[in-house]
Amino acid sequence: MKVLVTGGAGYIGSHVVRQLGEAGHDIVVFDNLSTGYRWAVTYGELVVGDLADDAAIEAVFRAHDFEAVLHFAANIVVPESVANPLKYYSNNTRNTLNLLKAVERHRVPYLVFSSTAAVYGMPAQTVLTEDLPLAPINPYGASKMMSERMIMDLAASSALNYVILRYFNVAGANPEGLLGQATPEATHLIKVACECVTGTRDGMSVFGTDYDTRDGTCIRDYIHVEDLAKAHVMALDYMASGGESEVFNCGYGRGFTVREVIDVVREQSGVEFAVTETGRRAGDPAALMADNQRITGKLGWKPDYDNLDVIVSTALNWERIWQERRSGESR
Ligand code: UFG
C-alpha cells in the first residue's frame, strides 16, 4: 500500500515505518522533527512539515495517492499537557482535524490512529476493556479522546475505515539497536531508569510506595514497541481485507510494579543507581492493564516480546548506543 505516516521520525512511528518497509509498503513520512530524527526514517521518503500547515498537508496528499494514513504525530507528556493544555489541543486535536480534512478531501480509505490508555482516566477496575466509558483526567488524554471522536464521526459520514489503537506503556527498542527512544527529557519509567544506568541522569524517584498493590508501587502493562508496531501493520491488513472499523487496546494484559521494573534494570546493568522514594505523582492510578482479547481475537495479534527482561535489555542496549551517538546527532 501507499501509506502516509505522520510522526514517522519519532519513537513509535519509526519502528512502525521499519516494519511497514520490511512488509513492502510504499511509505511517505510527514514529520516536523520536533522530537523525531531524520536517521530514524529507515524506509521511504521524509517530508519535513507540520500538521498545523494546511498547505503542506495538501501538497503531500496531492503528490501521492495514499491508500492509508497512520497518524502518530502528537505531544505525549502528561504533566506538560496539564501545564500547557492548549499546546495539546492544538498539536494533537486541531492538527488531527487538519489531517482528517485532507483524508476526507482525498477519500483515503484507511486510517490507523495512535491513541492511549489515558483516555480511560482513573477507572475503578485494573484490567480495562475497550468498552469502558472514556473519562480522561488530563488534557493529553482528552486531546486524544477528542481525536478519536472526530475519526469515528468522519467514518460514520464517509467511506473511511479506521483502526484506533490505545497504547498502554510502550517501552523497549529495535533488537538490533537500529532504533529506540531518543526523545529528550523523557519521563517514562523504563527510559528514565536506563538513563540512570548510562549516567545521563544521576538518579530517579519512585512516585509513591503506598498503593494497594503487591509491593506498594504502581502496576503498568509494559508493551514492547516491536509488538506494538506489528499491531499497526496487522491493522492495515485487517482493513484491506474488509475488517470493520474498530478500537483495540494494545497491551499484554499483565503488569509489573515500579520496583520490579527498577530491579530488572539494576540487575541487567549491574549499576546500583540512586533511587529515592517520594510521594505519589498526581493522577497515577494504582494499576492499569489491557484486556487484549479484542486485538488477539479480531486482528489475530500475538506478541513476540512479552517478557520484561527482553523489554529492558533492548531498551538498555539502545540507551547505550544513543548515549554514544547523540552528541554528534542533529535532527
Ligand atoms: N514512575 C516513577 N518514576 C519515574 C517515572 C515513572 O515512579 O521516574 C512511575 C509512575 O508514577 C507510574 C509508572 O512509573 O506509576 C509508569 O509511569 P510512566 O510515566 O512511565 O507511564 P504512565 O503509566 O504514567 O503513562 C503511560 C504513558 C502515557 C499514557 C498512560 C496511559 O506514558 O502516555 O500510560 O495510562 F497516557
Side-chain angles (χ1 to χ4, degrees), residues 12 21 28 33 47 74 79 112 117 142 175 196 206 230 245 282 297 314 328:
I12 299 169
V28 177
L33 301 183
V47 176
V112 182
C196 292
V206 174
K230 188 167 81 166
S245 292
T314 57

Side-chain angles (χ1 to χ4, degrees), residues 50-59 94 97-99 101-102 105:
D50 197 294
L51 291 174
D53 181 351
D54 283 322
I57 299 174
E58 182 57 19
R94 185 204 57 205
L97 175 63
N98 294 347
L99 179 68
K101 286 182 196 162
R105 271 196 309 274

Side-chain angles (χ1 to χ4, degrees), residues 16-268:
V16 175
V17 164
R18 200 166 168 76
Q19 287 197 21
L20 288 170
E22 281 167 0
H25 293 285
D26 187 1
I27 301 159
V28 177
V29 169
F30 188 87
D31 197 300
N32 66 8
L33 301 183
S34 60
T35 58
Y37 294 86
R38 275 174 206 281
W39 55 257
V41 180
T42 56
Y43 280 89
E45 177 194 343
L46 169 65
V47 176
V48 179
D50 197 294
L51 291 174
D53 181 351
D54 283 322
I57 299 174
E58 182 57 19
V60 78
F61 276 79
R62 270 214 182 150
H64 304 275
D65 196 9
F66 295 119
E67 288 173 83
V69 172
L70 295 94
H71 178 33
F72 297 89
N75 293 114
I76 62 157
V77 180
V78 172
E80 184 192 41
S81 79
V82 176
N84 193 356
L86 298 188
K87 175 174 178 179
Y88 280 69
Y89 295 121
S90 301
N91 192 38
N92 294 2
T93 311
R94 185 204 57 205
N95 289 355
T96 297
L97 175 63
N98 294 347
L99 179 68
L100 291 177
K101 286 182 196 162
V103 164
E104 183 182 43
R105 271 196 309 274
H106 293 268
R107 297 192 174 80
V108 178
Y110 306 124
L111 177 76
V112 182
F113 178 62
S114 304
S115 192
T116 168
V119 297
Y120 297 117
M122 296 275 266
Q125 54 271 72
T126 57
V127 180
L128 313 185
T129 61
E130 292 87 351
D131 297 327
L132 281 176
L134 303 188
I137 57 160
N138 51 60
Y140 168 64
S143 74
K144 289 286 185 174
M145 180 187 74
M146 292 179 195
S147 299
E148 286 195 7
R149 181 61 195 255
M150 291 190 295
I151 292 164
M152 290 173 184
D153 288 346
L154 176 59
S157 74
S158 70
L160 177 69
N161 296 281
Y162 65 82
V163 166
I164 291 171
L165 298 174
R166 294 188 183 143
Y167 307 165
F168 281 64
N169 289 65
V170 188
N174 170 274
E176 286 103 58
L178 300 172
L179 299 168
Q181 195 171 359
T183 327
E185 292 161 47
T187 57
H188 294 143
L189 177 67
I190 291 179
K191 173 79 177 168
V192 166
C194 290
E195 287 180 351
C196 292
V197 170
T198 58
T200 302
R201 269 173 217 258
D202 295 336
M204 61 177 294
S205 301
V206 174
F207 299 136
T209 55
D210 60 347
Y211 287 97
D212 184 16
T213 59
R214 51 187 177 261
D215 66 13
T217 66
C218 291
I219 294 175
R220 291 291 180 275
D221 187 338
Y222 296 94
I223 173 174
H224 196 286
V225 65
E226 293 284 4
D227 278 332
L228 181 66
K230 188 167 81 166
H232 293 73
V233 181
M234 295 182 83
L236 282 185
D237 294 342
Y238 164 84
M239 287 188 285
S241 54
E244 62 191 21
S245 292
E246 192 55 280
V247 179
F248 295 112
N249 283 338
C250 295
Y252 295 143
R254 56 97 195 98
F256 295 97
T257 69
V258 175
R259 282 197 172 116
E260 287 164 353
V261 169
I262 292 174
D263 284 350
V264 170
V265 178
R266 280 176 154 174
E267 270 163 34
Q268 282 197 17

